Amino acid sequence: MGLFSRWAETFFGRSRTAADSQGSRDGSDRSAPPSSFMGTHSPGGLEMNDAGEEKQVTLYSLSTCGHCKSTKRLLNDCSVAYSFTDVDLLDQEERSLILEQLRELNPRCSFPTIVINDRVIVGFRENEIKEALGL
């Protein structure tokens, strides 16, 4: 479990799967109620980098963003374990905390913002995401 996931579970005391939040793989939005804003997707195994260490993949997204949905779909289709936060579904206090963290990674606070280990990718850039994942 990544640092953000551990923090989020400690802070919020809940977790859910990416499939629960994003709806179907075809991108249709059958999402849970707005109080469900974060989750993890674990397709069965942990992703490892070339050094044999677990890959940490975190996604900052918006529940209504087509590029964010495409990013989730790509990660799911590639069977990548990841954690995500749908920032627009957070209450104001939680959103402020997350946006403060996000500004350190992506000063423009645009979505999706994907963090793969220490590499930050802004936007749905399929080739860059696959390269960072070693796919």
Side-chain angles (χ1 to χ4, degrees):
M1 184 180 295
L3 176 63
F4 177 77
S5 299
R6 286 189 292 264
W7 171 83
E9 282 193 0
T10 301
F11 187 79
F12 301 112
R14 62 184 182 250
S15 182
R16 43 197 295 283
T17 64
D20 292 339
S21 171
Q22 82 173 44
S24 67
R25 291 184 135 190
D26 65 4
S28 63
D29 187 17
R30 290 181 234 150
S31 58
S35 63
S36 301
F37 61 88
M38 61 164 278
T40 58
H41 178 265
S42 299
L46 298 175
E47 295 295 313
M48 300 293 194
N49 64 17
D50 293 336
E53 301 167 331
E54 179 183 349
K55 287 184 183 175
Q56 300 293 319
V57 181
T58 303
L59 170 64
Y60 296 91
S61 58
L62 300 174
S63 65
T64 58
C65 170
H67 295 292
C68 298
K69 289 177 185 180
S70 294
T71 302
K72 288 178 182 178
R73 188 176 321 113
L74 172 66
L75 295 172
N76 290 338
D77 289 347
C78 293
S79 298
V80 172
Y82 65 95
S83 61
F84 70 95
T85 301
D86 285 331
V87 177
D88 59 322
L89 300 180
L90 300 171
D91 68 31
Q92 183 144 356
E93 184 178 327
E94 295 167 330
R95 184 178 306 134
S96 294
L97 290 171
I98 294 297
L99 288 175
E100 188 176 312
Q101 290 178 331
L102 183 59
R103 275 188 195 91
E104 292 176 20
L105 302 167
N106 172 9
R108 293 179 60 200
C109 286
S110 52
F111 299 94
T113 297
I114 308 107
V115 182
I116 303 172
N117 292 334
D118 294 327
R119 182 172 175 181
V120 177
I121 300 171
V122 178
F124 177 62
R125 303 188 187 286
E126 184 173 353
N127 292 337
E128 285 183 48
I129 294 167
K130 286 183 174 181
E131 177 187 320
L133 293 169
L135 302 175

